[in-house]
Short mmCIF file of all heavy atoms in Angstrom, two decimals:
data_model
loop_
_atom_site.label_atom_id
_atom_site.label_comp_id
_atom_site.label_asym_id
_atom_site.label_seq_id
_atom_site.Cartn_x
_atom_site.Cartn_y
_atom_site.Cartn_z
N TRP A 1485 -11.74 192.80 -38.58
CA TRP A 1485 -12.14 194.21 -38.57
C TRP A 1485 -11.15 195.07 -39.27
O TRP A 1485 -11.09 196.34 -39.03
CB TRP A 1485 -12.27 194.68 -37.08
CG TRP A 1485 -13.60 194.37 -36.52
CD1 TRP A 1485 -14.82 194.55 -37.15
CD2 TRP A 1485 -13.89 193.85 -35.19
NE1 TRP A 1485 -15.85 194.17 -36.27
CE2 TRP A 1485 -15.32 193.75 -35.11
CE3 TRP A 1485 -13.10 193.52 -34.10
CZ2 TRP A 1485 -15.94 193.25 -33.94
CZ3 TRP A 1485 -13.72 193.07 -32.99
CH2 TRP A 1485 -15.11 192.97 -32.90
N SER A 1486 -10.38 194.49 -40.16
CA SER A 1486 -9.37 195.31 -40.88
C SER A 1486 -10.06 196.43 -41.68
O SER A 1486 -9.51 197.53 -41.79
CB SER A 1486 -8.52 194.51 -41.76
OG SER A 1486 -9.30 193.63 -42.54
N ALA A 1487 -11.27 196.10 -42.12
CA ALA A 1487 -12.01 197.17 -42.94
C ALA A 1487 -12.38 198.36 -42.06
O ALA A 1487 -12.50 199.45 -42.58
CB ALA A 1487 -13.32 196.52 -43.50
N ALA A 1488 -12.50 198.12 -40.71
CA ALA A 1488 -12.80 199.23 -39.85
C ALA A 1488 -11.49 199.88 -39.35
O ALA A 1488 -11.54 200.66 -38.39
CB ALA A 1488 -13.71 198.77 -38.70
N GLY A 1489 -10.39 199.40 -39.81
CA GLY A 1489 -9.10 199.91 -39.33
C GLY A 1489 -8.60 199.34 -38.02
O GLY A 1489 -7.84 199.93 -37.31
N VAL A 1490 -9.23 198.19 -37.61
CA VAL A 1490 -8.85 197.60 -36.30
C VAL A 1490 -8.02 196.37 -36.54
O VAL A 1490 -8.46 195.43 -37.24
CB VAL A 1490 -10.10 197.26 -35.52
CG1 VAL A 1490 -9.76 196.58 -34.18
CG2 VAL A 1490 -10.94 198.57 -35.26
N THR A 1491 -6.81 196.35 -35.99
CA THR A 1491 -5.99 195.17 -36.01
C THR A 1491 -5.69 194.75 -34.59
O THR A 1491 -6.17 195.36 -33.65
CB THR A 1491 -4.72 195.42 -36.77
OG1 THR A 1491 -4.08 196.54 -36.22
CG2 THR A 1491 -4.99 195.74 -38.26
N ASP A 1492 -4.89 193.71 -34.45
CA ASP A 1492 -4.46 193.30 -33.08
C ASP A 1492 -5.66 192.90 -32.22
O ASP A 1492 -5.95 193.57 -31.22
CB ASP A 1492 -3.63 194.38 -32.44
CG ASP A 1492 -3.09 194.00 -31.06
OD1 ASP A 1492 -2.98 192.75 -30.85
OD2 ASP A 1492 -2.77 194.86 -30.25
N VAL A 1493 -6.42 191.87 -32.67
CA VAL A 1493 -7.65 191.48 -31.99
C VAL A 1493 -7.27 190.36 -30.98
O VAL A 1493 -6.74 189.32 -31.38
CB VAL A 1493 -8.68 190.91 -32.99
CG1 VAL A 1493 -9.92 190.40 -32.17
CG2 VAL A 1493 -9.10 192.04 -33.94
N ALA A 1494 -7.54 190.60 -29.71
CA ALA A 1494 -7.28 189.58 -28.68
C ALA A 1494 -8.60 188.79 -28.50
O ALA A 1494 -9.67 189.39 -28.55
CB ALA A 1494 -6.89 190.24 -27.34
N ASP A 1495 -8.47 187.46 -28.19
CA ASP A 1495 -9.68 186.65 -28.07
C ASP A 1495 -9.56 185.94 -26.73
O ASP A 1495 -8.52 185.29 -26.40
CB ASP A 1495 -9.71 185.61 -29.16
CG ASP A 1495 -11.08 184.99 -29.24
OD1 ASP A 1495 -11.54 184.36 -28.23
OD2 ASP A 1495 -11.70 184.91 -30.35
N SER A 1496 -10.61 186.01 -25.90
CA SER A 1496 -10.58 185.42 -24.53
C SER A 1496 -10.25 183.90 -24.64
O SER A 1496 -9.62 183.38 -23.69
CB SER A 1496 -11.91 185.59 -23.83
OG SER A 1496 -12.98 185.01 -24.57
N ARG A 1497 -10.54 183.29 -25.72
CA ARG A 1497 -10.30 181.84 -25.87
C ARG A 1497 -8.78 181.54 -25.89
O ARG A 1497 -8.31 180.39 -25.72
CB ARG A 1497 -10.97 181.24 -27.03
CG ARG A 1497 -12.46 181.08 -26.82
CD ARG A 1497 -13.26 180.80 -28.12
NE ARG A 1497 -13.25 181.93 -29.04
CZ ARG A 1497 -14.03 182.09 -30.07
NH1 ARG A 1497 -14.87 181.12 -30.32
NH2 ARG A 1497 -13.98 183.12 -30.89
N ASP A 1498 -7.97 182.57 -26.27
CA ASP A 1498 -6.51 182.35 -26.36
C ASP A 1498 -5.80 182.51 -25.04
O ASP A 1498 -4.60 182.39 -24.99
CB ASP A 1498 -5.95 183.36 -27.37
CG ASP A 1498 -6.63 183.17 -28.76
OD1 ASP A 1498 -7.02 181.97 -29.00
OD2 ASP A 1498 -6.64 184.06 -29.53
N PHE A 1499 -6.52 182.82 -23.97
CA PHE A 1499 -5.91 182.97 -22.67
C PHE A 1499 -6.21 181.85 -21.71
O PHE A 1499 -7.32 181.31 -21.81
CB PHE A 1499 -6.32 184.34 -22.05
CG PHE A 1499 -5.89 185.55 -22.84
CD1 PHE A 1499 -6.69 186.08 -23.86
CD2 PHE A 1499 -4.65 186.13 -22.61
CE1 PHE A 1499 -6.30 187.15 -24.63
CE2 PHE A 1499 -4.22 187.21 -23.39
CZ PHE A 1499 -5.02 187.68 -24.37
N PRO A 1500 -5.28 181.53 -20.80
CA PRO A 1500 -5.57 180.50 -19.82
C PRO A 1500 -6.81 180.83 -18.97
O PRO A 1500 -7.00 182.00 -18.63
CB PRO A 1500 -4.35 180.54 -18.87
CG PRO A 1500 -3.28 181.25 -19.59
CD PRO A 1500 -3.98 182.20 -20.57
N ALA A 1501 -7.73 179.89 -18.90
CA ALA A 1501 -8.98 180.05 -18.15
C ALA A 1501 -9.87 181.18 -18.75
O ALA A 1501 -10.75 181.72 -18.12
CB ALA A 1501 -8.83 180.21 -16.68
N GLU A 1502 -9.56 181.57 -19.97
CA GLU A 1502 -10.26 182.63 -20.62
C GLU A 1502 -10.24 183.97 -19.85
O GLU A 1502 -11.19 184.73 -19.87
CB GLU A 1502 -11.70 182.25 -20.97
CG GLU A 1502 -11.75 181.03 -21.92
CD GLU A 1502 -13.01 180.89 -22.72
OE1 GLU A 1502 -13.70 181.85 -22.91
OE2 GLU A 1502 -13.29 179.77 -23.17
N ARG A 1503 -9.16 184.10 -19.09
CA ARG A 1503 -9.09 185.33 -18.33
C ARG A 1503 -8.17 186.35 -19.05
O ARG A 1503 -6.97 186.10 -19.20
CB ARG A 1503 -8.43 185.05 -16.93
CG ARG A 1503 -8.72 186.17 -15.89
CD ARG A 1503 -7.99 185.88 -14.61
NE ARG A 1503 -6.50 186.07 -14.76
CZ ARG A 1503 -5.90 187.27 -14.79
NH1 ARG A 1503 -6.62 188.38 -14.65
NH2 ARG A 1503 -4.62 187.35 -14.92
N VAL A 1504 -8.77 187.43 -19.53
CA VAL A 1504 -8.01 188.37 -20.32
C VAL A 1504 -7.31 189.38 -19.39
O VAL A 1504 -7.93 189.97 -18.54
CB VAL A 1504 -8.95 189.19 -21.25
CG1 VAL A 1504 -8.17 190.15 -22.13
CG2 VAL A 1504 -9.72 188.18 -22.16
N PRO A 1505 -5.95 189.47 -19.45
CA PRO A 1505 -5.23 190.37 -18.55
C PRO A 1505 -5.64 191.84 -18.83
O PRO A 1505 -5.99 192.20 -19.98
CB PRO A 1505 -3.77 190.17 -18.92
CG PRO A 1505 -3.74 188.91 -19.76
CD PRO A 1505 -5.06 188.72 -20.38
N ALA A 1506 -5.61 192.59 -17.73
CA ALA A 1506 -5.94 194.05 -17.82
C ALA A 1506 -5.18 194.75 -18.88
O ALA A 1506 -5.61 195.63 -19.57
CB ALA A 1506 -5.84 194.71 -16.48
N GLN A 1507 -3.86 194.40 -18.95
CA GLN A 1507 -2.96 195.11 -19.90
C GLN A 1507 -3.45 194.88 -21.35
O GLN A 1507 -3.43 195.80 -22.16
CB GLN A 1507 -1.51 194.65 -19.65
CG GLN A 1507 -0.54 195.50 -20.50
CD GLN A 1507 0.88 195.06 -20.29
OE1 GLN A 1507 1.14 194.10 -19.58
NE2 GLN A 1507 1.78 195.81 -20.94
N THR A 1508 -3.88 193.63 -21.60
CA THR A 1508 -4.35 193.29 -22.96
C THR A 1508 -5.54 194.19 -23.24
O THR A 1508 -5.70 194.74 -24.35
CB THR A 1508 -4.66 191.85 -23.04
OG1 THR A 1508 -3.52 191.11 -22.67
CG2 THR A 1508 -5.09 191.43 -24.48
N LEU A 1509 -6.47 194.23 -22.31
CA LEU A 1509 -7.68 195.04 -22.44
C LEU A 1509 -7.36 196.45 -22.87
O LEU A 1509 -8.00 197.05 -23.69
CB LEU A 1509 -8.50 195.00 -21.15
CG LEU A 1509 -9.55 193.89 -21.00
CD1 LEU A 1509 -10.20 193.96 -19.62
CD2 LEU A 1509 -10.61 194.06 -22.08
N ARG A 1510 -6.34 197.01 -22.21
CA ARG A 1510 -5.96 198.39 -22.49
C ARG A 1510 -5.25 198.62 -23.83
O ARG A 1510 -5.57 199.59 -24.52
CB ARG A 1510 -5.00 198.91 -21.38
CG ARG A 1510 -5.67 199.42 -20.13
CD ARG A 1510 -4.69 200.26 -19.27
NE ARG A 1510 -3.48 199.63 -19.04
CZ ARG A 1510 -3.20 198.79 -18.00
NH1 ARG A 1510 -4.16 198.50 -17.15
NH2 ARG A 1510 -2.05 198.29 -17.81
N GLU A 1511 -4.51 197.56 -24.22
CA GLU A 1511 -3.60 197.79 -25.37
C GLU A 1511 -4.13 197.22 -26.68
O GLU A 1511 -3.75 197.65 -27.75
CB GLU A 1511 -2.20 197.30 -25.04
CG GLU A 1511 -1.56 198.08 -23.87
CD GLU A 1511 -0.26 197.46 -23.42
OE1 GLU A 1511 0.11 196.40 -23.96
OE2 GLU A 1511 0.35 198.07 -22.54
N ALA A 1512 -4.90 196.16 -26.61
CA ALA A 1512 -5.37 195.47 -27.86
C ALA A 1512 -6.29 196.41 -28.62
O ALA A 1512 -6.98 197.24 -28.09
CB ALA A 1512 -6.12 194.20 -27.50
N GLY A 1513 -6.23 196.24 -29.97
CA GLY A 1513 -7.18 197.00 -30.87
C GLY A 1513 -8.61 196.57 -30.54
O GLY A 1513 -9.52 197.36 -30.67
N ALA A 1514 -8.80 195.28 -30.22
CA ALA A 1514 -10.16 194.80 -29.88
C ALA A 1514 -9.95 193.59 -29.02
O ALA A 1514 -8.97 192.82 -29.14
CB ALA A 1514 -10.87 194.45 -31.15
N THR A 1515 -10.87 193.42 -27.99
CA THR A 1515 -10.87 192.19 -27.15
C THR A 1515 -12.22 191.51 -27.33
O THR A 1515 -13.26 192.12 -27.10
CB THR A 1515 -10.63 192.54 -25.74
OG1 THR A 1515 -9.46 193.37 -25.64
CG2 THR A 1515 -10.51 191.30 -24.87
N VAL A 1516 -12.22 190.26 -27.77
CA VAL A 1516 -13.42 189.51 -27.93
C VAL A 1516 -13.70 188.63 -26.75
O VAL A 1516 -12.79 187.82 -26.36
CB VAL A 1516 -13.33 188.61 -29.22
CG1 VAL A 1516 -14.62 187.72 -29.35
CG2 VAL A 1516 -13.18 189.49 -30.46
N PHE A 1517 -14.86 188.73 -26.11
CA PHE A 1517 -15.26 187.83 -25.05
C PHE A 1517 -16.20 186.77 -25.61
O PHE A 1517 -17.35 187.03 -25.81
CB PHE A 1517 -15.92 188.58 -23.92
CG PHE A 1517 -15.05 189.65 -23.28
CD1 PHE A 1517 -15.12 190.97 -23.66
CD2 PHE A 1517 -14.06 189.27 -22.39
CE1 PHE A 1517 -14.28 191.91 -23.14
CE2 PHE A 1517 -13.17 190.19 -21.85
CZ PHE A 1517 -13.28 191.55 -22.22
N ALA A 1518 -15.60 185.60 -26.00
CA ALA A 1518 -16.32 184.66 -26.80
C ALA A 1518 -17.57 184.18 -26.14
O ALA A 1518 -18.61 183.96 -26.80
CB ALA A 1518 -15.36 183.52 -27.16
N ARG A 1519 -17.51 183.87 -24.84
CA ARG A 1519 -18.66 183.29 -24.19
C ARG A 1519 -19.88 184.27 -24.23
O ARG A 1519 -21.02 183.84 -24.13
CB ARG A 1519 -18.36 182.95 -22.71
CG ARG A 1519 -17.63 181.68 -22.56
CD ARG A 1519 -17.29 181.44 -21.16
NE ARG A 1519 -16.33 180.35 -21.04
CZ ARG A 1519 -16.60 179.08 -21.15
NH1 ARG A 1519 -17.86 178.69 -21.36
NH2 ARG A 1519 -15.68 178.15 -21.14
N LEU A 1520 -19.61 185.54 -24.23
CA LEU A 1520 -20.66 186.48 -24.17
C LEU A 1520 -21.10 186.96 -25.54
O LEU A 1520 -22.13 187.56 -25.66
CB LEU A 1520 -20.19 187.75 -23.31
CG LEU A 1520 -19.76 187.46 -21.90
CD1 LEU A 1520 -19.33 188.76 -21.20
CD2 LEU A 1520 -20.91 186.85 -21.09
N GLY A 1521 -20.23 186.66 -26.52
CA GLY A 1521 -20.56 187.23 -27.87
C GLY A 1521 -20.45 188.74 -27.87
O GLY A 1521 -21.20 189.42 -28.50
N ILE A 1522 -19.48 189.24 -27.13
CA ILE A 1522 -19.33 190.71 -27.01
C ILE A 1522 -17.86 191.05 -27.20
O ILE A 1522 -16.99 190.30 -26.81
CB ILE A 1522 -19.80 191.19 -25.60
CG1 ILE A 1522 -21.26 191.06 -25.47
CG2 ILE A 1522 -19.34 192.61 -25.32
CD1 ILE A 1522 -21.83 191.41 -24.10
N ALA A 1523 -17.62 192.19 -27.82
CA ALA A 1523 -16.21 192.64 -28.02
C ALA A 1523 -16.08 194.08 -27.63
O ALA A 1523 -17.03 194.86 -27.79
CB ALA A 1523 -15.76 192.41 -29.50
N VAL A 1524 -14.91 194.46 -27.06
CA VAL A 1524 -14.66 195.85 -26.79
C VAL A 1524 -13.57 196.30 -27.78
O VAL A 1524 -12.51 195.68 -27.88
CB VAL A 1524 -14.14 196.02 -25.35
CG1 VAL A 1524 -13.76 197.47 -25.09
CG2 VAL A 1524 -15.20 195.54 -24.35
N VAL A 1525 -13.84 197.35 -28.54
CA VAL A 1525 -13.02 197.73 -29.67
C VAL A 1525 -12.54 199.13 -29.55
O VAL A 1525 -13.33 200.00 -29.22
CB VAL A 1525 -13.86 197.61 -30.96
CG1 VAL A 1525 -12.96 197.81 -32.19
CG2 VAL A 1525 -14.51 196.23 -31.07
N ALA A 1526 -11.22 199.34 -29.76
CA ALA A 1526 -10.67 200.70 -29.77
C ALA A 1526 -11.06 201.33 -31.07
O ALA A 1526 -10.33 201.15 -32.08
CB ALA A 1526 -9.17 200.68 -29.50
N ALA A 1527 -12.12 202.07 -31.10
CA ALA A 1527 -12.58 202.69 -32.32
C ALA A 1527 -13.43 203.94 -31.95
O ALA A 1527 -14.16 203.94 -31.04
CB ALA A 1527 -13.48 201.70 -33.11
N GLY A 1528 -13.20 204.94 -32.77
CA GLY A 1528 -13.95 206.23 -32.58
C GLY A 1528 -15.35 206.13 -33.17
O GLY A 1528 -15.62 205.19 -33.85
N PRO A 1529 -16.13 207.16 -32.93
CA PRO A 1529 -17.48 207.25 -33.46
C PRO A 1529 -17.49 207.14 -34.96
O PRO A 1529 -18.46 206.57 -35.54
CB PRO A 1529 -17.99 208.58 -32.98
CG PRO A 1529 -17.12 208.98 -31.82
CD PRO A 1529 -15.78 208.34 -32.07
N ASP A 1530 -16.45 207.54 -35.63
CA ASP A 1530 -16.46 207.50 -37.11
C ASP A 1530 -16.29 206.10 -37.67
O ASP A 1530 -16.60 205.87 -38.82
CB ASP A 1530 -15.29 208.39 -37.66
CG ASP A 1530 -13.94 208.01 -36.98
OD1 ASP A 1530 -13.91 207.83 -35.77
OD2 ASP A 1530 -12.95 207.90 -37.75
N GLN A 1531 -15.88 205.16 -36.79
CA GLN A 1531 -15.71 203.80 -37.24
C GLN A 1531 -16.92 202.89 -36.94
O GLN A 1531 -16.92 201.70 -37.25
CB GLN A 1531 -14.47 203.16 -36.58
CG GLN A 1531 -13.13 203.76 -37.12
CD GLN A 1531 -12.02 203.53 -36.08
OE1 GLN A 1531 -11.90 204.28 -35.06
NE2 GLN A 1531 -11.23 202.57 -36.36
N VAL A 1532 -17.92 203.47 -36.28
CA VAL A 1532 -19.08 202.66 -35.82
C VAL A 1532 -19.74 202.02 -36.99
O VAL A 1532 -20.15 200.83 -36.94
CB VAL A 1532 -20.07 203.53 -35.02
CG1 VAL A 1532 -21.39 202.81 -34.82
CG2 VAL A 1532 -19.39 203.87 -33.66
N GLY A 1533 -19.90 202.72 -38.09
CA GLY A 1533 -20.61 202.18 -39.29
C GLY A 1533 -19.90 200.93 -39.79
O GLY A 1533 -20.47 199.93 -40.07
N ALA A 1534 -18.56 201.02 -39.88
CA ALA A 1534 -17.76 199.89 -40.36
C ALA A 1534 -17.87 198.68 -39.40
O ALA A 1534 -17.85 197.53 -39.84
CB ALA A 1534 -16.30 200.33 -40.53
N LEU A 1535 -17.91 198.98 -38.07
CA LEU A 1535 -18.07 197.87 -37.11
C LEU A 1535 -19.38 197.17 -37.29
O LEU A 1535 -19.44 195.99 -37.24
CB LEU A 1535 -17.92 198.45 -35.68
CG LEU A 1535 -16.55 198.90 -35.26
CD1 LEU A 1535 -16.64 199.58 -33.88
CD2 LEU A 1535 -15.56 197.79 -35.22
N ARG A 1536 -20.40 197.96 -37.49
CA ARG A 1536 -21.77 197.40 -37.65
C ARG A 1536 -21.81 196.48 -38.85
O ARG A 1536 -22.49 195.44 -38.87
CB ARG A 1536 -22.78 198.51 -37.86
CG ARG A 1536 -23.33 199.14 -36.59
CD ARG A 1536 -24.51 199.99 -36.93
NE ARG A 1536 -24.61 201.11 -35.95
CZ ARG A 1536 -25.09 200.97 -34.72
NH1 ARG A 1536 -25.53 199.76 -34.38
NH2 ARG A 1536 -25.20 201.97 -33.94
N ALA A 1537 -21.00 196.78 -39.88
CA ALA A 1537 -21.11 196.05 -41.13
C ALA A 1537 -20.26 194.79 -41.12
O ALA A 1537 -20.31 193.93 -42.01
CB ALA A 1537 -20.59 196.95 -42.28
N ALA A 1538 -19.54 194.62 -39.98
CA ALA A 1538 -18.61 193.43 -39.93
C ALA A 1538 -19.38 192.10 -39.88
O ALA A 1538 -20.51 192.06 -39.29
CB ALA A 1538 -17.76 193.59 -38.69
N ALA A 1539 -18.78 191.10 -40.45
CA ALA A 1539 -19.38 189.78 -40.32
C ALA A 1539 -18.64 189.08 -39.18
O ALA A 1539 -17.43 189.32 -39.00
CB ALA A 1539 -19.15 188.99 -41.59
N PRO A 1540 -19.25 188.26 -38.29
CA PRO A 1540 -20.68 187.86 -38.31
C PRO A 1540 -21.57 189.01 -37.85
O PRO A 1540 -21.07 190.02 -37.39
CB PRO A 1540 -20.66 186.72 -37.24
CG PRO A 1540 -19.55 187.03 -36.34
CD PRO A 1540 -18.45 187.63 -37.21
N PRO A 1541 -22.89 188.85 -38.09
CA PRO A 1541 -23.81 189.93 -37.88
C PRO A 1541 -23.77 190.53 -36.49
O PRO A 1541 -23.58 189.86 -35.48
CB PRO A 1541 -25.17 189.24 -38.10
CG PRO A 1541 -24.91 188.08 -38.87
CD PRO A 1541 -23.54 187.59 -38.55
N VAL A 1542 -23.82 191.86 -36.47
CA VAL A 1542 -23.67 192.60 -35.23
C VAL A 1542 -25.05 193.13 -34.78
O VAL A 1542 -25.81 193.65 -35.55
CB VAL A 1542 -22.68 193.83 -35.50
CG1 VAL A 1542 -22.85 194.84 -34.31
CG2 VAL A 1542 -21.30 193.28 -35.62
N LEU A 1543 -25.35 192.91 -33.49
CA LEU A 1543 -26.63 193.39 -32.91
C LEU A 1543 -26.60 194.82 -32.55
O LEU A 1543 -27.53 195.53 -32.87
CB LEU A 1543 -26.91 192.50 -31.70
CG LEU A 1543 -28.39 192.15 -31.36
CD1 LEU A 1543 -29.05 191.48 -32.53
CD2 LEU A 1543 -28.37 191.25 -30.11
N SER A 1544 -25.52 195.29 -31.95
CA SER A 1544 -25.44 196.64 -31.47
C SER A 1544 -24.02 197.10 -31.35
O SER A 1544 -23.10 196.30 -31.14
CB SER A 1544 -26.20 196.81 -30.19
OG SER A 1544 -25.52 196.18 -29.14
N VAL A 1545 -23.75 198.42 -31.46
CA VAL A 1545 -22.50 199.02 -31.15
C VAL A 1545 -22.77 200.22 -30.25
O VAL A 1545 -23.53 201.07 -30.66
CB VAL A 1545 -21.76 199.49 -32.45
CG1 VAL A 1545 -20.44 200.17 -32.13
CG2 VAL A 1545 -21.56 198.36 -33.48
N SER A 1546 -22.21 200.24 -29.06
CA SER A 1546 -22.44 201.30 -28.09
C SER A 1546 -21.21 201.77 -27.54
O SER A 1546 -20.20 201.01 -27.37
CB SER A 1546 -23.41 200.84 -26.98
OG SER A 1546 -24.18 199.77 -27.36
N PRO A 1547 -21.13 203.04 -27.13
CA PRO A 1547 -19.95 203.58 -26.48
C PRO A 1547 -19.67 202.89 -25.14
O PRO A 1547 -20.63 202.54 -24.42
CB PRO A 1547 -20.23 205.11 -26.26
CG PRO A 1547 -21.55 205.37 -26.86
CD PRO A 1547 -22.17 204.10 -27.28
N GLU A 1548 -18.45 202.58 -24.85
CA GLU A 1548 -18.11 201.97 -23.56
C GLU A 1548 -18.26 202.98 -22.42
O GLU A 1548 -17.74 204.07 -22.52
CB GLU A 1548 -16.67 201.42 -23.57
CG GLU A 1548 -16.34 200.62 -22.27
CD GLU A 1548 -14.87 200.24 -22.25
OE1 GLU A 1548 -14.03 200.90 -22.86
OE2 GLU A 1548 -14.57 199.21 -21.58
N LEU A 1549 -18.98 202.63 -21.41
CA LEU A 1549 -19.25 203.58 -20.28
C LEU A 1549 -18.26 203.40 -19.19
O LEU A 1549 -17.73 202.23 -18.96
CB LEU A 1549 -20.67 203.37 -19.75
CG LEU A 1549 -21.83 203.44 -20.73
CD1 LEU A 1549 -23.15 203.22 -19.99
CD2 LEU A 1549 -21.84 204.81 -21.46
N VAL A 1550 -17.98 204.50 -18.48
CA VAL A 1550 -17.21 204.37 -17.24
C VAL A 1550 -18.20 204.17 -16.09
O VAL A 1550 -19.09 204.98 -15.86
CB VAL A 1550 -16.40 205.65 -16.98
CG1 VAL A 1550 -15.64 205.57 -15.71
CG2 VAL A 1550 -15.41 205.83 -18.16
N HIS A 1551 -18.03 203.08 -15.35
CA HIS A 1551 -18.87 202.81 -14.22
C HIS A 1551 -18.08 203.12 -12.95
O HIS A 1551 -16.87 202.92 -12.89
CB HIS A 1551 -19.32 201.35 -14.18
CG HIS A 1551 -20.08 200.94 -15.39
ND1 HIS A 1551 -21.46 201.06 -15.39
CD2 HIS A 1551 -19.69 200.56 -16.61
CE1 HIS A 1551 -21.85 200.64 -16.63
NE2 HIS A 1551 -20.78 200.35 -17.36
N ARG A 1552 -18.77 203.60 -11.92
CA ARG A 1552 -18.07 203.86 -10.64
C ARG A 1552 -18.99 203.39 -9.53
O ARG A 1552 -20.15 203.19 -9.68
CB ARG A 1552 -17.78 205.37 -10.60
CG ARG A 1552 -19.09 206.19 -10.42
CD ARG A 1552 -18.80 207.66 -10.34
NE ARG A 1552 -18.70 208.22 -11.71
CZ ARG A 1552 -17.80 209.05 -12.15
NH1 ARG A 1552 -16.88 209.47 -11.34
NH2 ARG A 1552 -17.82 209.51 -13.37
N VAL A 1553 -18.36 203.29 -8.39
CA VAL A 1553 -19.08 202.99 -7.13
C VAL A 1553 -20.11 204.08 -6.97
O VAL A 1553 -19.85 205.21 -7.15
CB VAL A 1553 -18.14 202.94 -5.95
CG1 VAL A 1553 -18.87 202.72 -4.69
CG2 VAL A 1553 -17.13 201.80 -6.18
#
Side-chain angles (χ1 to χ4, degrees):
Chain A
W1485 275 316
S1486 51
V1490 176
T1491 54
D1492 184 22
V1493 177
D1495 192 309
S1496 61
R1497 286 169 292 195
D1498 298 334
F1499 295 91
E1502 300 202 21
R1503 198 186 71 79
V1504 181
Q1507 188 179 2
T1508 306
L1509 269 175
R1510 276 197 308 274
E1511 294 172 356
T1515 307
V1516 174
F1517 301 99
R1519 280 179 195 281
L1520 303 178
I1522 290 177
V1524 178
V1525 186
D1530 53 315
Q1531 290 158 281
V1532 166
L1535 290 173
R1536 277 190 207 284
V1542 165
L1543 211 56
S1544 68
V1545 179
S1546 333
E1548 185 186 27
L1549 304 181
V1550 177
H1551 299 267
R1552 68 183 86 223
V1553 174

